[in-house]
Amino acid sequence: MLELSAVNSFYGKAHVLNDLSFTVARGQVVALLGRNGAGKTTTMKSIMQLVVPRSGKVTFQGHDITGSAPHKVAKLGLGYVPEERRIFTDLTVLENLEVGRQPPREGSYAWTTEMLFDLFPNLAERRGNRGKALSGGEQQMLTIARTLMGNPSFVLLDEPSEGIAPVIVEQMARVIIQLKQEGLTVLLSEQNLHFARAVADMAVIIEGGTQKFTGTLDELNAHPEIRDAYLSV
Amino acid sequence: MGLFIAQLLTGLANAGALFMVASGLSLIFGVTRIVNFAHGSFYMLGAYIGYTLMQVLPGAVGFWGAILLAGIAVGVIGMLVEILVLRPIYRAPELFQLVATFGVILVVQDLALMVWGPDDLLGPRAPGLRGVVRIMGEPIPKYDIALLVITPFVALALWYLITKTRVGILVRAATQDREMVGALGVNQAWLFTGVFALGCALAGLGGALQLPKGGADLLMDFNILTAVFVVVVIGGMGSLPGAYLAAVIISVLNVFGVTYLPQSTLVLMFVVMVLVLMVRPYGLFGREEVAGEHGQVGEPERPIKPAGLQVRLLVAAGVAALAALPLFGSNFTQVLATDILIFCLFAASLHFLLGLGGMVSFGHAAYFGGGAYVAALLVTHADTPMELAFLLAPIGAGMAAIIIGWICLRLTGVYFAMLTLAFAQLLWSLVFQWGEVTGGDDGLLSIWPAPWLSGTTAYYYFALVLSVGGILFLRHVAHSPFGYALRAARDSERQAEATGIDTRRVRMFAFAFAGMMAGLAGGLFVFSKGSIFPNELEITRSFDALIVVFLGGVKTLSGGIVGGAFFKGVEDMLTRYEYWRLAMGLLIIFVVIVAPDGIVGTLRKLAERAGLLRRAEDET
Ligand SMILES: Nc1ncnc2c1ncn2[C@@H]1O[C@H](COP(=O)(O)OP(=O)(O)O)[C@@H](O)[C@H]1O
Ligand SMILES: [Mg+2]
């Protein structure tokens, strides 16, 4: 469904992604793993074309999206959930969801705010509150809900468990599994295996912008030395 | 009491047009981050187009229809400007777009002159609203009452649009984080275009609405621009309620000012602005600006290195050529060259502040004109010898810069820029309105250099030595430890503080130093012309310097100089023609679009591509 081939991305002169190549098949949850500064966020942005790869190709559902405007990428059904909960703090929960709203595509899910409030009950009570009044966990849920309002078929989740209370992380894991069961494809980035282990089928490990491992979670579990070398605990 | 109420009502009526124009500017800035200098031009276009439509359309329906249509027409023009001029340069460094909007000002000025002629147009009276009503015995024009009623409705409609509709939600979201809005599937380009068109339509509407009160003339673009900047800054950039409140405050203040302090109406406005910003740095309803939070990160700066041998030789050759100029150049050429040299020094001083210090001053003319006025006042009122008066020009300007810098440097970004503009305008209005001392609009005359400098050639050499010396000195300071500290403070305040740099102090010194060098240029200027007028302190003079620095290239030290020479040279060539503003404006827009790195930056990139120059990365 999504394919990166030999993607190289830069910030000015800094070469941050080095020949990244992997694929994500429909219905899979793939974990993109690596330490802080490994290049996970840059990979996500390179898929969304918020950072345009200097060479290489990103294909989504057969379309070459390299160099497209981010809003066009989103319109194709790629949903981006940024790290650090970039919600619109001056807008209410409902207004945040409204920004994310896009008409459903053929075959895609058609989310409504009420369905999302069922998925994230905490948000339901706070629908009229401004973003800045929410707790960290609520803000993280809102970023996910906001992206789902665009009815994506594929979601990029950048470090969803970072800086969030364990109870909420568990809730988040349940949501992701539920979404997967409903046919959503997910690429998820994390610094460690805790959260990924619960939800992912495959893992891609990067370090310094270079791919170090690609395979199933079982394969990864069979090689603890890889985990120790490239991931934080 | 009756008079008081009447004045209050007049003030409130005047606030209408001001609010519409200001809210447009505020909206545009909020979403696109563009400080639209051309906003006054759209206001002027609204007035002119409204005037023409009122001639054609009959009766009351025609009158109000004309106002509405003028707003729409200006909105469409704004849309075209956004698509043709601004859209190609959204990725350029922040604030670069304002150069393009300045080009638009020039183009609109000449187009208005072509179409409507040079004479002021008297606005038609509103049908059915010709007379006055008496409130507590005081006459109030009926049209004022109408404006009083209309404005809240416009404000309400705008408020509804922004708070209740999807478009409004997107606008507010984009004001906060436009990259994220794009990643969620919203086409930002059209959002920007729409907001720009809406903002311009509001300006046009304001222009047409005030026709029966003020008519239409070719100066109204700059006249409203200053007031609008003041309103937007007092209210808080991006805040509609703030714009409304501030428009009311300023308008009411103006009406009372005219009655009780007729000599200081202009000064009053800026005093209020300075006071508000000192208490509330981001305006009454503004939000703190955090640099870079809008996802607009430019290309990393290339390190500015001391000149290599090649460049040194080139500079030496250039100076030698300038020194030889009187041998074969005519008197006229020398006068022009003197102008250019002075202007280059002025521009270089702003470049120092802007390029090295990251401080965008919209009011740098305050120190240029300030220095000139210090010298001129000393000569006029104290018979000071030229040499001493000349020496005191940079010192006086530097002292003004210390005071103004001390207040302005509590702010950053666009608020800093606006506050520096306010101070420059404050100084201008002081000079303009304090006629007994400054000569007001008539300026100060007979400010001639000492006998030993009175020849054109002698003064040319004087200007050459001091301008080139000043520019080299600016360069030298840029490469001193102080210059490095200044750049460190620009690039990362926190890191600079961590390495023990007192960033505020460093900025303070830089601001005072740049002011001093501008004052030196001002001193050179006043004795080369023999006179000084308030327009050397005007907003246009500040803008000239800004344009030149941006056009030349912010990131290269030579930017200010090359830009200055280019600008003055072209200006000299073009001003011989009737519609030179049009040509100049189009040229500026053209340069901005084809050379978003500035002239020097683009030349260097081209040279690098052609292999003439080594790339910066090879050298490190
Ligand atoms: N905007 C940027 N400009 C320059 N360098 C950046 C920028 N963002 C990230 N980097 C650098 O790119 C590398 C990868 O960063 P990132 O993709 O954010 O890593 P991760 O998400 O895995 O923590 C890091 O070395 C980081 O310092
Ligand atoms: Mg990251």
Side-chain angles (χ1 to χ4, degrees):
Chain A
M1 187 172 200
L2 176 77
E3 180 173 4
L4 277 74
S5 40
V7 166
N8 285 278
S9 288
F10 292 72
Y11 290 109
K13 282 162 198 146
H15 193 165
V16 176
L17 293 186
N18 209 330
D19 276 341
L20 224 53
S21 302
F22 61 87
T23 53
V24 181
R26 187 180 296 275
Q28 269 188 333
V29 175
V30 174
L32 177 66
L33 304 171
R35 290 205 185 92
N36 200 6
K40 303 180 295 297
T41 298
T42 310
T43 307
M44 299 278 187
K45 289 191 169 178
S46 300
I47 295 170
M48 249 355 252
Q49 305 305 314
L50 292 167
V51 169
V52 177
R54 207 167 282 179
S55 71
K57 208 161 89 170
V58 184
T59 330
F60 179 65
Q61 291 182 323
H63 303 276
D64 179 1
I65 55 171
T66 331
S68 301
H71 74 94
K72 289 192 181 140
V73 176
K75 281 233 155 72
L76 286 175
L78 256 170
Y80 172 56
V81 181
E83 65 182 343
E84 288 160 359
R85 309 170 208 123
R86 270 166 74 180
I87 56 164
F88 305 109
T89 48
D90 288 343
L91 273 57
T92 64
V93 168
L94 274 174
E95 287 173 340
N96 267 280
L97 295 178
E98 176 62 31
V99 178
R101 189 167 63 84
Q102 292 287 331
R105 272 163 300 278
E106 205 180 326
S108 82
Y109 222 87
W111 290 96
T112 63
T113 45
E114 288 315 314
M115 289 159 72
L116 287 168
F117 286 144
D118 286 343
L119 198 62
F120 300 106
N122 313 35
L123 290 180
E125 303 153 22
R126 318 219 52 178
R127 60 183 79 194
N129 290 66
R130 278 176 199 268
K132 61 182 150 216
L134 304 186
S135 72
E138 287 166 341
Q139 292 192 346
Q140 183 62 281
M141 290 177 193
L142 181 56
T143 48
I144 297 176
R146 185 180 64 181
T147 300
L148 291 177
M149 278 299 279
N151 300 308
S153 51
F154 189 120
V155 173
L156 302 164
L157 272 176
D158 200 356
E159 298 203 34
S161 76
E162 197 194 47
I164 287 180
V167 223
I168 313 241
V169 173
E170 252 171 62
Q171 198 184 337
M172 202 91 72
R174 277 201 301 276
V175 167
I176 292 172
I177 290 166
Q178 194 181 336
L179 291 174
K180 184 184 165 187
Q181 279 161 359
E182 283 168 11
L184 205 71
T185 314
V186 177
L187 177 68
L188 160 102
S189 87
E190 281 292 326
Q191 295 191 26
N192 52 52
L193 266 171
H194 304 304
F195 187 68
R197 201 176 265 139
V199 295
D201 311 303
M202 300 268 301
V204 175
I205 297 184
I206 54 174
E207 165 84 11
T210 313
Q211 211 162 331
K212 299 291 184 187
F213 170 87
T214 313
T216 62
L217 271 181
D218 293 336
E219 285 168 346
L220 185 57
N221 285 332
H223 295 279
E225 73 280 1
I226 297 178
R227 184 192 63 201
D228 295 343
Y230 301 122
L231 302 182
S232 33
V233 278
Chain B
M1 190 61 200
L3 183 67
F4 182 83
I5 301 273
Q7 284 178 333
L8 200 64
L9 289 178
T10 312
L12 282 170
N14 290 348
L18 193 56
F19 161 71
M20 284 174 214
V21 188
S23 57
L25 184 81
S26 199
L27 268 177
I28 291 175
F29 175 80
V31 174
T32 65
R33 297 279 124 186
I34 290 178
V35 179
N36 183 21
F37 279 172
H39 213 62
S41 308
F42 291 109
Y43 168 75
M44 180 169 82
L45 275 179
Y48 274 116
I49 293 175
Y51 178 88
T52 301
L53 288 172
M54 283 171 194
Q55 309 288 310
V56 182
L57 304 172
V61 177
F63 177 84
W64 296 106
I67 290 178
L68 214 61
L69 284 175
I72 294 171
V74 174
V76 172
I77 297 172
M79 180 183 289
L80 290 177
V81 166
E82 200 275 346
I83 293 175
L84 296 176
V85 178
L86 298 174
R87 204 180 270 189
I89 52 170
Y90 273 122
R91 286 190 175 271
E94 202 162 351
L95 287 175
F96 191 67
Q97 294 89 355
L98 60 82
V99 183
T101 65
F102 190 81
V104 173
I105 294 182
L106 295 176
V107 171
V108 170
Q109 269 177 352
D110 263 2
L111 288 182
L113 176 66
M114 274 183 202
V115 177
W116 288 282
D119 297 327
D120 294 2
L121 302 179
L122 202 61
R125 290 298 163 92
L129 296 170
R130 277 168 224 267
V132 296
V133 285
R134 298 212 164 254
I135 293 182
M136 297 173 82
E138 295 292 329
I140 310 220
K142 282 186 187 159
Y143 191 68
D144 275 9
I145 306 285
L147 284 182
L148 271 176
V149 178
I150 293 168
T151 312
F153 280 105
V154 176
L156 218 61
L158 211 53
W159 173 82
Y160 182 84
L161 177 74
I162 296 301
T163 56
K164 300 291 175 206
T165 65
R166 171 165 169 91
V167 171
I169 291 172
L170 293 181
V171 164
R172 279 182 291 140
T175 301
Q176 215 184 335
D177 186 345
R178 55 195 208 195
E179 186 190 61
M180 197 59 232
V181 173
L184 288 168
V186 177
N187 186 347
Q188 292 179 73
W190 284 110
L191 190 62
F192 282 20
T193 309
V195 167
F196 199 85
L198 174 66
C200 292
L202 281 167
L205 202 61
L209 258 183
Q210 64 77 54
L211 268 172
K213 291 172 73 82
D217 61 73
L218 288 169
L219 294 177
M220 56 194 292
D221 52 352
F222 273 112
N223 286 345
I224 190 105
L225 192 61
T226 329
V228 164
F229 275 4
V230 169
V231 164
V232 168
V233 169
I234 290 183
M237 296 294 286
S239 160
L240 290 181
Y244 190 71
L245 185 60
V248 168
I249 292 175
I250 291 299
S251 303
V252 171
L253 198 78
N254 256 332
V255 175
F256 282 106
V258 169
T259 316
Y260 301 110
L261 290 164
Q263 290 309 304
S264 51
T265 43
L266 292 168
V267 184
L268 215 57
M269 180 163 80
F270 297 108
V271 170
V272 170
M273 168 163 170
V274 169
L275 287 178
V276 168
L277 288 191
M278 283 172 73
V279 182
R280 291 194 58 91
Y282 298 98
L284 295 172
F285 289 83
R287 210 164 63 90
E288 188 170 348
E289 285 286 309
V290 183
E293 80 172 317
H294 301 282
Q296 190 167 9
V297 184
E299 217 183 300
E301 300 270 328
R302 16 170 118 239
I304 295 175
K305 293 179 300 303
L309 186 65
Q310 236 179 341
V311 178
R312 274 166 203 253
L313 284 176
L314 207 68
V315 170
V319 172
L322 283 173
L325 183 82
L327 300 181
F328 41 84
S330 65
N331 236 13
F332 173 77
T333 321
Q334 290 178 42
V335 171
L336 175 63
T338 307
D339 275 1
I340 292 180
L341 283 168
I342 293 171
F343 191 67
C344 286
L345 175 60
F346 175 40
S349 72
L350 180 63
H351 178 273
F352 181 84
L353 202 58
L354 204 156
L356 258 68
M359 291 173 270
V360 182
S361 166
F362 282 179
H364 207 51
Y367 316 103
F368 178 78
Y373 263 100
V374 166
L377 287 171
L378 284 168
V379 170
T380 309
H381 295 293
D383 277 330
T384 314
M386 179 261 176
E387 292 86 349
L388 184 60
F390 179 78
L391 200 66
L392 288 172
I395 294 175
M399 274 167 21
I402 288 177
I403 297 168
I404 296 175
W406 184 74
I407 298 173
C408 295
L409 282 169
R410 297 162 8 118
L411 304 180
T412 52
V414 75
Y415 282 88
F416 170 82
M418 293 288 191
L419 196 53
T420 54
L421 174 71
F423 272 107
Q425 289 298 97
L426 178 61
L427 211 62
W428 170 80
S429 46
L430 262 177
V431 167
F432 191 79
Q433 294 195 316
W434 199 9
E436 307 97 80
V437 176
T438 61
D441 206 12
D442 299 328
L444 296 169
L445 307 175
S446 306
I447 320 291
W448 294 113
W452 61 280
L453 285 172
S454 59
T456 306
T457 306
Y459 201 83
Y460 170 72
Y461 279 118
F462 182 65
L464 177 66
V465 169
L466 284 168
S467 309
V468 173
I471 290 168
L472 289 179
F473 188 42
L474 281 165
R475 247 200 96 95
H476 175 76
V477 173
H479 293 301
S480 68
F482 176 77
Y484 292 118
L486 184 60
R487 268 177 265 168
R490 172 197 68 192
D491 291 339
S492 168
E493 170 117 31
R494 214 175 310 151
Q495 274 180 30
E497 293 274 357
T499 54
I501 297 169
D502 183 346
T503 52
R504 201 178 134 79
R505 239 174 110 99
V506 166
R507 290 211 180 93
M508 224 14 268
F509 270 115
F511 196 82
F513 179 54
M516 238 176 97
M517 297 316 262
L520 179 66
L524 283 171
F525 177 84
V526 66
F527 289 108
S528 81
K529 296 290 174 216
S531 59
I532 182 79
F533 300 95
N535 59 352
E536 295 310 324
L537 285 161
E538 252 178 13
I539 190 168
T540 30
R541 192 64 69 243
S542 295
F543 285 5
D544 281 352
L546 268 179
I547 305 289
V548 156
V549 171
F550 277 111
L551 275 190
V554 178
K555 293 181 180 175
T556 41
L557 283 177
S558 44
I561 303 146
V562 172
F566 176 79
F567 186 83
K568 270 281 159 195
V570 170
E571 192 185 57
D572 179 71
M573 259 158 44
L574 288 179
T575 39
R576 294 170 207 172
Y577 303 102
E578 190 177 0
Y579 294 115
W580 69 273
R581 282 190 192 83
L582 181 67
M584 189 82 183
L586 289 175
L587 183 71
I588 288 175
I589 293 170
F590 176 76
V591 173
V592 163
I593 292 175
V594 299
D597 291 306
I599 299 170
V600 176
T602 303
L603 284 179
R604 176 185 298 190
K605 270 199 178 158
L606 285 178
E608 278 176 4
R609 216 165 288 163
L612 293 175
L613 258 176
R614 282 181 304 158
R615 282 172 186 269
E617 62 231 61
D618 300 339
E619 294 170 25
T620 45

